[in-house]
Amino acid sequence: MKIHEYQARELFKAHDIPVNHGEVAYTPAEAKAIAAKIGKMTVVKAQVHVGGRGKAGGVKLAKTPDEAFEKAEAIIGMDIKGLTVDRVLVVDAVDIKEEYYLGFTVNRDDNKLVLILSAAGGVDIEEVAATTPEKIMTVNIDPMTGLQDYQIRQAIYGSGVDTTKARALGSFIKKLYNCCIAVDAELAEINPLVITAQGDVIAIDAKINIDDSALVRQKDLAEWREIGADLDQYEKLAKEEGLTYVHLPGGNIGVCGNGAGLVMTTMDVVKKAGGSPNNFLDFGGSATKEGVMKGLNAILRDPDVQGIFINVFGGITRTDVVAAGIVEAYDELPRQVPIVIRLTGTREEIAREILDNCNKPLVFAGSMWEGAQKIVELVNAGAANA
Ligand code: GDP
Ligand code: MN
């Protein structure tokens, strides 16, 4: 479960983790009142369940309360990665000297929490991770012993941070770890953790994801759950249509099939074939023509989709009926992109004939691997021609 920055800050305060002063506002007038109370320069920050707000224009400095009003007015209602901002956090602006990255998350390879510390924090941390991973120090934590002091020193002295601040940083790291364990976080991240011009160590961003399975014992936190708040515009529309759809922004291959396990595997296989899946869509156990067409329409809403891989395990479903249905309805789709269809089950030979002879960019695939390679090839060829 994702929570907002202002909520994560409450958890930080409860664990004695230093944060700058701030309050949440739902209207520009409220933002102005908070800024007036703070009485100096403030930062107005979009509160949405997604990162990268700074780069998206969702974090703005305000010199006066009137400016806080204007910035809040600009940010509330803004779209950030498909999510609409409905509230802002107004905080006391901090004079930043250094921006670090500090986080705890689950290392799924080792089944342990991992401490991550880097002196190269800030809005470009993804770039740092991709190009200079040696600037990011990681230390695995044994769940039986918990975070040890020597591990904290390892992280501080191995990460390039200002070691004259070792004591303050060490205490900070320990508190964040305790908070992480206490709230059953699967991610607790501070980016940036800053050293201010005055030499203080404080968190000016706060991100915590709570383990869904722990909500039975984190009853207070469960109240922060906002059903639907994490859905983007495509996911919202799909949900209204009763579809099981998850969007992966940035991908260019639509993926769908009948059965959640089958579709997840298909996404992995597309990836393995060198492609980039744009979504997960399960159109349920029985693949009917109507169900398939509804799914294809939903997938094609994202203009990034340049091809679709349909993976249907027919079983007793008549695959020839499904194939004929897709051929018949293809021209009615909002856009005509290449579609590879893997069909197995009753009458698959007839399904193959129908697709082979349809004179449309509909390709039959006999296996999942063959289909994945084919759609990647078609989409790449399309991109090369464009
Ligand atoms: P994110 O982009 O969603 O991670 O939002 P952040 O809360 O990390 O804010 C983005 C960036 O805005 C930070 O990396 C800082 O560079 C800047 N920023 C945020 N708060 C302050 C502040 O109080 N003072 C200054 N000078 N910059 C800030
Ligand atoms: Mn941040």
Side-chain angles (χ1 to χ4, degrees), residues 59-347:
V59 176
K60 293 189 192 302
L61 277 170
K63 291 193 199 75
T64 62
D66 282 329
E67 229 181 282
F69 183 100
E70 284 165 29
K71 305 289 174 181
E73 201 170 33
I75 294 172
I76 294 170
M78 181 185 268
D79 184 278
I80 300 183
K81 297 183 185 164
L83 304 183
T84 307
V85 182
D86 68 353
R87 67 199 95 158
V88 292
L89 172 68
V90 182
V91 285
D92 180 357
V94 168
D95 202 351
I96 301 175
K97 200 173 113 222
E98 308 270 1
E99 287 193 314
Y100 300 154
Y101 176 99
L102 169 64
F104 289 93
T105 189
V106 179
N107 179 340
R108 294 184 193 279
D109 294 329
D110 295 315
N111 306 313
K112 285 178 181 143
L113 269 185
V114 57
L115 160 62
I116 307 171
L117 183 64
S118 174
V123 295
D124 290 317
I125 191 70
E126 278 83 10
E127 176 74 15
V128 173
T131 56
T132 48
E134 68 278 3
K135 288 190 180 165
I136 298 174
M137 178 77 187
T138 61
V139 183
N140 276 337
I141 303 156
D142 189 320
M144 298 307 285
T145 53
L147 179 64
Q148 300 291 306
D149 285 347
Y150 78 89
Q151 295 181 304
I152 296 177
R153 287 193 292 274
Q154 246 176 7
I156 291 175
Y157 289 92
S159 59
V161 299
D162 177 358
T163 51
T164 67
K165 298 287 173 206
R167 187 181 288 268
L169 285 167
S171 134
F172 198 104
I173 293 170
K174 200 177 254 179
K175 286 175 189 167
L176 183 63
Y177 173 76
N178 290 339
C179 174
C180 184
I181 297 293
V183 304
D184 289 309
E186 49 185 27
L187 172 77
E189 180 185 85
I190 301 174
N191 184 31
L193 165 65
V194 306
I195 310 276
T196 67
Q198 296 73 33
D200 299 321
V201 178
I202 75 163
I204 65 163
D205 192 6
K207 185 170 179 174
I208 292 184
N209 293 352
I210 311 289
D211 183 345
D212 284 321
S213 308
L215 292 177
V216 284
R217 65 179 186 193
Q218 299 287 353
K219 295 211 166 55
D220 293 351
L221 303 184
E223 283 173 18
W224 282 339
R225 165 157 269 169
E226 290 171 28
I227 293 165
D230 305 347
L231 303 181
D232 73 12
Q233 50 172 328
Y234 302 111
E235 291 171 328
K236 273 191 195 133
L237 285 169
K239 195 182 168 86
E240 280 162 19
E241 294 166 349
L243 294 167
T244 310
Y245 168 92
V246 181
H247 190 214
L248 277 73
N252 59 1
I253 297 178
V255 177
C256 56
N258 56 339
L262 181 69
V263 179
M264 283 193 276
T265 310
T266 310
M267 294 166 77
D268 286 346
V269 172
V270 165
K271 189 104 195 162
K272 197 174 163 74
S276 174
N278 175 278
N279 73 280
F280 165 99
L281 192 149
D282 172 15
F283 39 65
S286 62
T288 61
K289 176 189 155 191
E290 289 71 27
V292 175
M293 293 323 286
K294 197 164 129 186
L296 294 181
N297 274 290
I299 289 172
L300 285 167
R301 282 196 187 110
D302 182 345
D304 286 348
V305 173
Q306 299 306 326
I308 299 175
F309 183 19
I310 307 177
N311 191 353
V312 170
F313 182 79
I316 56 169
T317 301
R318 292 238 336 239
T319 62
D320 57 331
V321 175
V322 175
I326 297 171
V327 171
E328 190 190 311
Y330 183 76
D331 293 329
E332 293 159 28
L333 286 173
R335 291 187 289 129
Q336 278 63 44
V337 299
I339 300 182
V340 173
I341 308 157
R342 181 250 181 167
L343 283 167
T344 45
T346 307
R347 299 207 194 198

Side-chain angles (χ1 to χ4, degrees), residues 357-368:
N357 298 318
C358 72
N359 288 321
K360 297 182 198 294
L362 297 169
V363 180
F364 180 90
S367 75
M368 172 155 27

